[in-house]
Amino acid sequence: MYEQILQVAESFFMQQGYHGTSTRQIADALGIKQPNIYYHFKGKEAIYFEVMVTLSEEVSVNLWRISKDPNLTLAEKIYDMFAFLKRRHPVNFYMMMNDIQHSVSKETSFKLYHLWKENYQKPIVTLFESSETKIRGGVSPEFATSQLFILLAAHLDVNQAHDQMAPAIDLFLYGLINDQPEASR
């Protein structure tokens, strides 16, 4: 039952956010009584945290796999990473970040922030650090990654057209790549 609760809860959290989801909805979808959920979890926040742990671990494995593919260019890796996120992570990233910052306890928020940094940001930061294509001097890989997530958050919305992601990545990278001679700057 533990796994079924997490699967159903993930669907609700990803579609409706933390505030829009209740343990009653989860129980009703599973055809169980609400107290059965509390046998496995302390409450909604505990369910949300476990959903995010499971999801972030899967995201991490896939982002690292893509980042290490020697047959892909930097642009292709970033595109494939965000295409994976769009398929697997059907949530408005702004809603998710708002939930993490404002809807759960400070302790859970702190834990979720570290999951985010380790499993979402780190593979991309490391990709920028290790790529043969270097980013401009003065732009840290961390800053580049945060800006990339801001730009692409709207494109991760399942209602957005998939074909707009490639031009957004192209625009981002070619405004970022250090391929101009020093004299022309």
Side-chain angles (χ1 to χ4, degrees), residues 48-49 52-53 55-57 59-60 64 96-97 100-101 104-123 125:
Y48 184 74
F49 179 75
M52 297 307 292
V53 166
L55 181 60
S56 68
E57 288 170 351
V59 165
S60 179
W64 282 113
M96 186 180 88
M97 292 319 238
I100 290 171
Q101 292 175 347
V104 296
S105 69
K106 287 186 186 238
E107 179 184 344
T108 299
S109 178
F110 180 78
K111 290 176 186 177
L112 290 171
Y113 174 72
H114 284 285
L115 280 174
W116 167 262
K117 283 187 66 87
E118 190 65 26
N119 297 312
Y120 289 74
Q121 284 187 322
K122 190 174 182 177
V125 167

Side-chain angles (χ1 to χ4, degrees), residues 94 146-155 167-169 171-173:
Y94 295 120
S146 69
Q147 297 305 301
L148 183 61
F149 269 107
I150 290 168
L151 172 69
L152 295 174
H155 296 280
I169 291 168
L171 180 64
F172 178 82
L173 287 177

Side-chain angles (χ1 to χ4, degrees), residues 27-141:
D28 288 348
L30 288 166
I32 62 174
K33 302 265 186 225
Q34 203 172 2
N36 290 345
I37 289 177
Y38 298 117
Y39 175 78
H40 298 281
F41 298 95
K42 283 185 174 183
K44 182 169 85 167
E45 186 170 309
I47 299 168
Y48 184 74
F49 179 75
E50 288 304 318
V51 163
M52 297 307 292
V53 166
T54 302
L55 181 60
S56 68
E57 288 170 351
E58 180 184 341
V59 165
S60 179
V61 166
N62 283 280
L63 294 184
W64 282 113
R65 178 186 52 76
I66 294 165
S67 76
K68 293 178 180 183
D69 187 334
N71 300 313
L72 299 175
T73 66
L74 176 64
E76 290 168 334
K77 289 176 183 183
I78 291 172
Y79 180 83
D80 285 357
M81 288 174 159
F82 281 90
F84 164 76
L85 287 172
K86 186 175 179 93
R87 280 189 315 274
R88 180 56 187 100
H89 206 291
V91 65
N92 177 322
F93 264 42
Y94 295 120
M95 179 177 63
M96 186 180 88
M97 292 319 238
N98 185 63
D99 285 347
I100 290 171
Q101 292 175 347
H102 303 292
S103 299
V104 296
S105 69
K106 287 186 186 238
E107 179 184 344
T108 299
S109 178
F110 180 78
K111 290 176 186 177
L112 290 171
Y113 174 72
H114 284 285
L115 280 174
W116 167 262
K117 283 187 66 87
E118 190 65 26
N119 297 312
Y120 289 74
Q121 284 187 322
K122 190 174 182 177
I124 298 171
V125 167
T126 303
L127 177 61
F128 282 134
E129 290 171 339
S130 63
S131 176
E132 290 179 13
T133 306
K134 298 299 178 197
I135 60 177
R136 288 185 184 162
V139 177
S140 73

